[in-house]
Amino acid sequence: MTGNLIRNPETITEIFKRACERRELIILVTPYLRFESSFLRHEGAEFHAAATMGREDAMYGLRSSDLRMRFPHGVSFLEAPTALKGFGIADGRKTLRLAVPEVLHEEDHRGAYRVDRVGRVPVTFSTPKYDLVTGTLVDLSTTGARIYSTRDFAEGEFQPGDDMAVTIQLNDTIRINTKVKLRHIQNRTFGVEYRPQLDERILHPLSRWIFERREEDMERISRRGVETGVPGTGRLVTVHPTGLVLVSGDATLEASLQELLGGMQPLRRVAPTMSALKEAYNSKPSLVLYHVPDLGLDQRRRLKPLVETFQGKVPFLLLGTGVESGALQELGSELKAAVSIVFNPERATFFQRLVQGVLRRNYEGGEAPMAPMEVDQS
């Protein structure tokens, strides 16, 4: 990702204040999950973002040293590390308190992201002789557009550097009506640059619209290779390696996980013994789920050698039932688990997405899918 680094504290403060004033969209990203939220309030070294997920999901999903944020800003997009500092209230809404970063990464303006999935968008433009011509939008960015004309151009009718005017009715709320410079032309297709830069009243909604399309593209790319659809079934099959292993003596937990994860990859349960684990290792599983029914000393002693069977070879997670989440996460950090989470059937979709994210992170290097929002109305 090329671009510039913004380090000036006053500039960063101003960016966050304005993002909060606009209630700007923000994407929070961990190695395994992504959450969509919005800026609400800036307070010194922290800012409030809307809590668009339950408190427990925020604790499990965002308590990561690799937590990052992305959001649109003018003609570019910004990205930076952050950290969950706690929870709060702003404007009567429950919020996440997040750290304001010391450095922001700004994408290079010259490489403004172009959206080519624009649908059929009508365009009207003027020639240097002030003739009005209609066309359709080919692609769009925060700094310019590419347009296809409904008629051929006469030789010499257009030249790079010519001043023009365009009107692009992108949707019901975004209408670009501005002066432009012609940058290139080939047959009926030509590219223009907005000159001057778009007014903020149009630029910010357009930037947000393009940012959302870019996020959709990134999610689509991240899904390739890990999951392929089986026609007519709606089920997902993983390319390689394959198979989830649940290390547990609990058949009821196995049934719950079969319903949740069985459509993603085959899942089988093995007894928490060394011989069973060695046999499971030979089947080349993609992920191992260690069931932790309690956090007593004996359980910890039994778990450690079982975990060492796969440690550094296959990703694994700790799946607790009836245990305290903080203590489970401490144990997970000690054993270097990819994820440590207390299983709650009421948050099954969140858990399913978390497992998908772990698989994608380890086998494709792409980002995880957008986590489903659990908007708290209280």
Side-chain angles (χ1 to χ4, degrees), residues 129-141:
K129 293 183 178 180
Y130 304 105
D131 295 329
L132 288 179
V133 185
T134 59
T136 56
L137 188 64
V138 177
D139 60 40
L140 185 71
S141 76

Side-chain angles (χ1 to χ4, degrees), residues 278-303:
K278 287 177 180 178
E279 181 185 346
Y281 177 73
N282 291 333
S283 68
K284 294 182 172 58
S286 58
L287 180 66
V288 180
L289 298 84
Y290 288 95
H291 178 205
V292 183
D294 69 76
L295 290 168
L297 186 58
D298 288 343
Q299 172 66 29
R300 289 170 179 258
R301 285 174 176 169
R302 286 194 298 268
L303 183 62

Side-chain angles (χ1 to χ4, degrees), residues 210-226:
I210 291 173
F211 178 75
E212 289 172 339
R213 273 47 186 190
R214 189 189 74 154
E215 289 293 318
E216 290 172 2
D217 288 343
M218 291 173 66
E219 181 178 354
R220 188 178 299 106
I221 291 170
S222 75
R223 289 178 181 273
R224 294 174 184 169
V226 177

Side-chain angles (χ1 to χ4, degrees), residues 6 11 16 88 115 157 159 186 205 215 223 234 245 307 337:
I6 301 174
T11 301
F16 275 79
V115 176
E157 184 176 4
Q159 295 293 331
Q186 184 175 17
E215 289 293 318
R223 289 178 181 273
V245 172
V307 165

Side-chain angles (χ1 to χ4, degrees), residues 7-38:
R7 301 179 183 274
N8 184 282
E10 289 78 14
T11 301
I12 293 174
T13 295
E14 183 63 22
I15 287 171
F16 275 79
K17 283 183 176 178
R18 297 189 69 183
C20 291
E21 289 171 0
R22 296 193 306 270
R23 298 293 192 264
E24 189 58 85
L25 171 68
I26 181 174
I27 303 294
L28 299 171
V29 187
T30 76
Y32 310 117
L33 290 171
R34 294 194 296 166
F35 293 93
E36 182 177 315
S37 184
S38 58

Side-chain angles (χ1 to χ4, degrees), residues 111-300:
Y113 188 82
R114 289 192 170 271
V115 176
D116 53 16
R117 295 182 299 108
V118 293
R120 188 166 181 80
V121 176
V123 178
T124 303
F125 61 94
S126 67
T127 71
K129 293 183 178 180
Y130 304 105
D131 295 329
L132 288 179
V133 185
T134 59
T136 56
L137 188 64
V138 177
D139 60 40
L140 185 71
S141 76
T142 54
T143 58
R146 201 151 58 101
I147 298 163
Y148 178 79
S149 172
T150 55
R151 71 163 174 83
D152 293 323
F153 301 128
E155 185 175 352
E157 184 176 4
F158 284 104
Q159 295 293 331
D162 282 348
D163 293 317
M164 303 170 59
V166 300
T167 300
I168 304 171
Q169 187 68 54
L170 185 60
N171 55 33
D172 292 340
T173 58
I174 301 176
R175 184 174 187 268
I176 302 169
N177 188 8
T178 186
K179 294 179 180 179
V180 297
K181 283 277 188 185
L182 180 64
R183 288 308 180 198
H184 58 81
I185 183 169
Q186 184 175 17
N187 300 323
R188 290 188 178 187
T189 302
F190 61 95
V192 298
E193 180 184 5
Y194 311 133
R195 284 291 187 91
Q197 181 178 298
L198 294 176
D199 181 83
E200 289 191 359
R201 181 178 56 85
I202 296 298
L203 178 59
H204 290 308
L206 175 63
S207 181
R208 184 180 305 140
W209 185 89
I210 291 173
F211 178 75
E212 289 172 339
R213 273 47 186 190
R214 189 189 74 154
E215 289 293 318
E216 290 172 2
D217 288 343
M218 291 173 66
E219 181 178 354
R220 188 178 299 106
I221 291 170
S222 75
R223 289 178 181 273
R224 294 174 184 169
V226 177
E227 303 162 349
T228 56
V230 178
T233 66
R235 290 165 65 87
L236 298 173
V237 179
T238 300
V239 179
H240 181 79
T242 186
L244 308 174
V245 172
L246 171 64
V247 183
S248 174
D250 190 335
T252 302
L253 178 61
E254 177 190 13
S256 297
L257 295 183
Q258 284 286 5
E259 184 177 347
L260 264 182
L261 308 178
M264 186 190 308
Q265 290 195 20
L267 181 143
R268 68 178 179 126
R269 178 172 62 91
V270 301
T273 64
M274 291 300 296
S275 59
L277 278 175
K278 287 177 180 178
E279 181 185 346
Y281 177 73
N282 291 333
S283 68
K284 294 182 172 58
S286 58
L287 180 66
V288 180
L289 298 84
Y290 288 95
H291 178 205
V292 183
D294 69 76
L295 290 168
L297 186 58
D298 288 343
Q299 172 66 29
R300 289 170 179 258

